[in-house]
Structure formats: C-alpha cells, structure tokens
Amino acid sequence: MSQRERSALLSQIPKVDELLATDEVKRLLQCHPHEVVVEGIRNGLERIRQAILSAPKVEHIKVEIFALSNLLPLFEEEIARQVSPHLKRAINATGVVIHTNLGRSPLSERALRHVMEVSQGYSNLEYDLAQGERGSRYTHVEEILLRLSKAEGGLVVNNNAGAVLVALNTLAQGKEVIVSRGELVEIGGAFRIPEVMARSSAILREVGTTNRTRLRDYEEAIGEDTALLLKVHTSNYRVVGFTSEVTLEELVRLGKRYALPVMNDLGSGCFIDLSAYGLAKEPTVQDAVKAGADVVTFSGDKLLGGPQAGIIVGKKGLIDQIKANPLTRALRIDKLTLAALEATLVAYLSEGEAIKEIPTLRMLTAPVEQIRKRARRLQRLLKHETDNASIEVIQETSKVGGGALPLQMLPTWALGIKPHRASVQALEAELRNLDQPIIARIANGQLILDLRTIPDEEFAAICHGMTVALKKVSA
Ligand SMILES: *Cc1c(COP(=O)(O)O)cnc(C)c1O
C-alpha cells in the first residue's frame, strides 16, 4: 500500500474526544474511572493504527474497522487489562513440580483455609493470649518445628537465602567460614553462596577441589579466625565420577574437636524420606539434626510444599543468638506466610496425611498408572470439545524442579497435541495469553501437557482454554 493510502486510512481513526462523547463510551465511564477509560481507548486505537501500518494491501483494511461496534470490544479489552490483576492463577502443564517461575509449591486446602481465617480479622500474631501481653510471632510454629525436626530451637524468616544470610552474619561476622569448593552453589535468581557470604560479612575460606574434598582439607584450614564449618547441599547439581565429600557426621566430629559450630544449608528441606515413594534419597531435616548439625536451614516452598519461607532449626543457644540479630527483624515472616506454614507443618504430624494433602508431595508421589488414566480422561474431554487438533496420550518424564533432585527422572503420562491448521508454537503462545494462562512445553513437534502437575480441578479450565486457543490460531 502506498504512503498516501496509508495516511488516508490513518486519518480515519476516530479521535478520543469524539469517542468520549458517544453514548456507548459514556456507559463505560459509568463503570470505570475516567483515566482508565481514556487509556483503554488510546490503547485500542493504537492497535488499529498498528494494524494499518502493518497491512500489506489496502484491501486488507475493511471500512468496518473504524465502526464503534468494532472498536468497543477493543476498548473493553484494554480497560479490562488495566483493572484485572497482573499476578494471576496459571495452569502448570510443564510437569516441573516445584516450578520457581510459576510460584513453586501450590498450597494445601488446610493452609489456604488457615490463611483466610487468620487474615480476615485480627489475630494473636504477637500477642500472648495466656498472659494478656505482647508475645512473639515466632512461637506459633516453633513447637511443631521442634517436634518434627527434633531440634532444640527454631525460627522462620522470609526465605532460605535470608536464613543463610542471617545465620552466617550472626555466627561468623568478620570471621572465617570453611566450605568445600564442591559446594559453592549458585541457585537461580542470583543466589550464590560466596556472594551471600560476603554480604553477611563472613569471610569465605574455600577448601578442597571441585570434585574432591577431604576431612584433612577442612582441618588444615582451621585457625584463629575460624568461626564456622558450613556444609551446603548441592541441591540443583551433582558432581559425579572421581569424587569424595566429607559427610555431615564427619564434619560434626571435627567441629566438636575444635569447638566450632557446624551449619548445614539443606536448600530443599523435607521431613519425609521420599525414597520410600520411589524417589532418590535426599537428606531430611531430622537426619541433619540427628547427625549433630548445630544449625540447619531450608526453604518452606520447595519439597516442604508450603509458602515461601526460610526455616532455621538447631541448638537453642545459637538459635537464640540468631533471633536477637537485628537482621532477623528485617527478614521477618508475615502473618499470611506464618498461617500457611503452620497449617502445612501440622500435616506432617502424619506422613500419610502430608502425602495426601500437600499438593507438591501428592504430585511427586502420584502413581504413574493413575496419571495415565487421568491423561486418557482429559484426552476424551478435549476430543469432545474440539476437532482442530490431534490429541495423543504419550509417555513423558516430569522433573522435581526447585533445585531438588536434579537427576531424578519421573516417568509420567502426557497429552501430545498437534493443531491441524496452525503451528505448535502459535498454540503454545496463545495458551500463555489466555485469561487463565496454560504453561506448556513443546517436544518433538507436539505441545505437551503433563498430567502430573495438572489436578482434576483444572480439567474444565484446560478444555475451555484449549478450545479458545485452538479456534484462535486455526482461524
Ligand atoms: C533454594 C536454595 C537456597 C535459597 O532458598 P530460597 O528459599 O529460594 O531463598 C539456598 N540454598 C540452597 C542449597 C538452595 O537449594
């Protein structure tokens, strides 16, 4: 299309002021603030402008494009975009159970109910009901944490990065912390042990090599300035081949000989040994406490399956010192998190309950035959709704995610979807842009929906979303 034709079309776009004077837009003004409506109109008109600028031929632009009946839905969409929440529920069809980008662990029913209950009104967050005076927010979960971990003291902060920071700062400010070179972990999102150590004002003293560290290496590094021996769980990678590492028990014995505390950053802490459910063995929190670690830190929203939190358990004297650190105040946990965490921890009093009611554990331990049956059911439902794609039930592998069990391959069943009249890439993008986004991945030219991370309650939303998306990309 020529420059002149394009200019002529662009000049036909209605003006914002004219539109504001129409009855239809006046009705929108009754429901939404003036600024929001004006912004909605501007954005809607911008979309029309872009359509004209990118159209290869004049014929591609129909006169109806300028009609109010065509413009109104655009305005409404642009208004809705401004007033609807940006943070929204999404469907995780990736099969990565602890998906950090998708919010890690979904909360259990019990946790959700407790959050609602506690936050809808006032609470005894920092009020001692027995004494009728100021209490501590940390007491609510301490008792249950001690019961589950068999530790002497416990405390919870904002997240595990914060837990490591405040523990190092309390126990080793200006002093040396000895760590194996094989354990200088980087977790996604710029959490690196050496950098956190620097911020905590502790001095990193690396020992050993990437693949081999011996007890002697730690012992030779101990000196006047040593404050702490640190063991970091290599949660998101493994060193394999010609390796040797010092066990927590050995490190504890060494610490005792030199009167040095030993800290263990577990990363993804859990109270249940998941090897009983066919997963690889991960050290549990109780294992670390039993081995004699003086301080153990772990996340609330990884394998534990609760809210974002950093949990610290250990020897009472050291935990009390950490509690008294002003940094703890800066990293303090809020009441919504505390409520969710307390309800999650209560489930762990019975292993069976925990596996049944904590979604992360339920998904990780789901029997593969049950996943296959559910895949077939979703396939039937989808085939009933749409014939715009071929839908197969296929064998796939899920991942644990969240920097836990990095080598674990979980056999699973998925739907492999191939649109008849569109690319798989277009479908994947359209699903992400739904009101309730569906996050899926592409493999072997198919869109993969892994049933491990899709609960039955989301089947209806998947059918609806998939039908809408397939219709849109097939048009
Ligand atoms: C995940 C992880 C952290 C950080 O925990 P967040 O709760 O994400 O802050 C720290 N250390 C290790 C070993 C981890 O795996």
Side-chain angles (χ1 to χ4, degrees):
M1 142 171 33
S2 75
Q3 197 56 44
R4 235 190 44 233
E5 286 168 327
R6 228 183 270 280
S7 306
L9 279 171
L10 288 173
S11 70
Q12 285 185 59
I13 297 179
K15 301 279 170 297
V16 177
D17 286 343
E18 291 164 25
L19 290 162
L20 284 170
T22 62
D23 288 344
E24 288 86 344
V25 173
K26 278 184 187 151
R27 263 197 295 281
L28 290 177
L29 284 165
Q30 278 166 8
C31 314
H32 304 284
H34 191 267
E35 256 180 64
V36 171
V37 174
V38 170
E39 179 75 7
I41 293 176
R42 287 219 179 94
N43 293 344
L45 295 180
E46 179 59 25
R47 280 165 66 177
I48 300 287
R49 219 172 72 83
Q50 291 304 328
I52 293 171
L53 289 175
S54 60
K57 291 207 175 111
V58 187
E59 300 85 80
H60 291 183
I61 303 294
K62 306 207 174 65
V63 274
E64 300 90 78
I65 191 176
F66 303 115
L68 198 51
S69 58
N70 176 62
L71 293 173
L72 272 176
L74 287 186
F75 298 161
E76 281 162 1
E77 220 174 272
E78 292 296 333
I79 288 169
R81 204 202 297 278
Q82 295 172 70
V83 296
S84 56
H86 193 266
L87 178 63
K88 49 189 165 185
R89 171 94 179 246
I91 293 174
N92 174 11
T94 64
V96 179
V97 178
I98 307 170
H99 198 306
T100 295
N101 302 149
L102 301 182
R104 286 202 182 151
S105 286
L107 294 177
S108 68
E109 291 282 338
R110 195 202 299 237
L112 290 171
R113 275 200 309 273
H114 197 42
V115 170
M116 282 277 277
E117 169 76 19
V118 166
S119 56
Q120 245 167 4
Y122 295 100
S123 65
N124 62 337
L125 180 66
E126 289 191 351
Y127 188 76
D128 184 331
L129 294 171
Q131 303 298 322
E133 59 190 36
R134 191 197 155 105
S136 157
R137 72 176 59 216
Y138 300 109
T139 52
H140 305 290
V141 291
E142 190 166 359
E143 197 179 306
I144 183 140
L145 268 178
L146 303 193
R147 196 156 153 195
L148 294 170
S149 66
K150 309 281 187 279
E152 297 170 4
L155 131 108
V156 184
V157 293
N158 178 63
N159 61 356
N160 189 34
V164 174
L165 177 74
V166 70
L168 289 176
N169 178 260
T170 309
L171 306 175
Q173 188 174 20
K175 298 257 200 145
E176 284 186 1
V177 177
I178 304 177
V179 194
S180 159
R181 289 201 170 85
E183 298 175 2
L184 297 175
V185 182
E186 171 174 332
I187 314 295
F191 175 93
R192 287 175 161 185
I193 286 289
E195 286 165 18
V196 174
M197 186 92 70
R199 291 293 163 147
S200 75
S201 309
I203 300 156
L204 171 64
R205 181 73 195 266
E206 312 174 16
V207 296
T209 59
T210 306
N211 56 328
R212 287 172 78 89
T213 303
R214 301 180 185 78
L215 195 62
R216 207 181 56 225
D217 298 322
Y218 287 92
E219 185 159 12
E220 281 168 7
I222 293 176
E224 294 253 295
D225 288 333
T226 311
L228 184 72
L229 307 178
L230 173 64
K231 185 161 182 63
V232 183
H233 183 47
T234 59
S235 41
N236 55 0
Y237 68 99
R238 291 285 179 267
V239 182
V240 294
F242 184 57
T243 63
S244 76
E245 73 172 302
V246 175
T247 64
L248 183 57
E249 286 83 353
E250 290 171 307
L251 215 51
V252 166
R253 274 199 294 278
L254 184 66
K256 285 227 170 80
R257 266 205 279 135
Y258 288 88
L260 289 170
V262 174
M263 172 165 148
N264 188 193
D265 175 16
L266 272 183
S268 187
C270 189
F271 292 109
I272 295 178
D273 177 5
L274 292 172
S275 64
Y277 301 86
L279 280 88
K281 169 117 182 117
E282 281 279 278
T284 63
V285 178
Q286 317 74 291
D287 288 343
V289 171
K290 195 167 166 211
D294 297 280
V295 174
V296 180
T297 65
F298 55 102
S299 289
D301 55 355
K302 290 186 181 170
L303 280 176
L304 195 74
Q308 178 191 303
I311 304 173
I312 312 174
V313 296
K315 300 280 156 62
K316 186 163 183 334
L318 299 181
I319 297 292
D320 286 345
Q321 282 179 40
I322 297 172
K323 278 183 186 166
N325 187 331
L327 260 184
T328 298
R329 172 65 179 77
L331 295 167
R332 84 175 181 188
I333 182 170
D334 85 313
K335 63 183 175 187
L336 305 187
T337 309
L338 258 178
L341 183 64
E342 184 177 12
T344 305
L345 290 173
V346 168
Y348 277 96
L349 290 175
S350 143
E351 179 170 322
E353 281 301 305
I355 296 280
K356 245 195 347 237
E357 81 172 54
I358 296 173
T360 299
L361 295 182
R362 195 166 57 218
M363 291 187 271
L364 286 174
T365 59
V368 70
E369 186 48 33
Q370 182 196 342
I371 300 179
R372 191 176 69 94
K373 284 198 184 120
R374 297 177 54 248
R376 301 203 18 195
R377 191 146 50 79
L378 183 59
Q379 179 195 36
R380 275 198 302 279
L381 291 170
L382 275 172
K383 280 191 161 169
H384 190 71
E385 298 273 334
T386 179
D387 51 9
N388 278 327
S390 70
I391 304 168
E392 288 179 56
V393 172
I394 57 171
Q395 245 177 326
E396 262 290 332
T397 43
S398 318
K399 288 204 183 117
V400 178
L405 299 159
L407 306 182
Q408 181 85 53
M409 291 289 169
L410 295 167
T412 189
W413 290 87
L415 296 187
I417 300 180
K418 219 176 147 96
H420 293 316
R421 288 181 295 281
S423 71
V424 181
Q425 285 75 14
L427 178 61
E428 187 270 338
E430 201 57 49
L431 289 170
R432 270 189 276 126
N433 286 310
L434 291 168
D435 287 337
Q436 177 156 176
I438 300 173
I439 315 299
R441 60 196 171 83
I442 297 172
N444 304 320
Q446 285 182 316
L447 183 98
I448 310 292
L449 303 182
D450 186 333
L451 270 287
R452 182 181 295 276
T453 49
I454 304 170
D456 289 356
E457 301 78 61
E458 288 178 348
F459 279 13
I462 294 224
C463 287
H464 176 73
M466 188 60 78
T467 313
V468 170
L470 275 170
K471 206 180 264 170
K472 238 178 169 169
V473 294
S474 307

